[in-house]
Amino acid sequence: MAGVIRNVLKKSTGITGINVHAEPVAALQQLYGETLEQLKKLPETAVYRKETETLTTERLDILKKATDIGEMERAIGFGQIEEAIKVAENELRLVQRMHSWKPWEKLIEKAPAGQWDGP
């Protein structure tokens, strides 16, 4: 619980535009839960859905198993927990966009030769 207390006493993240979050663990749990719910709207065969579900579930498990915020920060690997919140917010927005973009559907027109070739 020392990490939880540490976060409450933290006055600044030291990152412009990212404030200290009063309830970072609850916020991340909510964001990860919403992301998993939104992913259910995508086809089960979509690679993005599969990979994002796996990653989000792993991060949610970290929150459940970690004993303090410092441990969570190290395990998630985004620096401060407030940075993980920003990443989770962006991922949730991306899931919603992917739903409207439908990248798993066939192209309307055939892709030009070599478009999908790697370097």
Side-chain angles (χ1 to χ4, degrees):
M1 277 323 234
V4 174
I5 292 170
R6 176 184 63 86
N7 203 63
V8 170
L9 298 177
K10 182 166 70 169
K11 297 200 184 317
S12 171
T13 62
I15 303 169
T16 301
I18 301 180
N19 297 322
V20 174
H21 198 288
E23 297 290 336
V25 177
L28 269 178
Q29 288 173 330
Q30 180 181 358
L31 286 164
Y32 290 154
E34 287 179 39
T35 298
L36 291 171
E37 283 301 310
Q38 290 293 318
L39 285 167
K40 290 178 183 177
K41 296 178 181 178
L42 307 183
E44 290 181 14
T45 57
V47 174
Y48 174 76
R49 175 183 171 164
K50 291 178 190 178
E51 295 300 320
T52 307
E53 276 179 337
T54 300
L55 190 62
T56 304
T57 301
E58 287 173 3
R59 291 179 182 158
L60 196 52
D61 288 343
I62 289 169
L63 296 182
K64 293 175 184 175
K65 294 176 183 175
T67 57
D68 63 46
I69 288 179
E71 185 179 342
M72 291 174 196
E73 290 172 338
R74 286 186 295 282
I76 292 173
F78 287 127
Q80 297 180 53
I81 198 159
E82 288 83 1
E83 292 173 279
I85 292 170
K86 289 292 182 193
V87 170
E89 290 169 343
N90 290 335
E91 192 68 60
L92 179 57
R93 279 193 290 280
L94 180 57
V95 171
Q96 294 162 342
R97 289 180 178 154
M98 293 292 263
H99 185 261
S100 67
W101 293 337
K102 300 179 183 3
W104 51 84
E105 292 183 353
K106 292 186 183 251
L107 296 175
I108 296 171
E109 297 177 7
K110 186 175 180 177
Q115 179 172 335
W116 307 114
D117 297 343

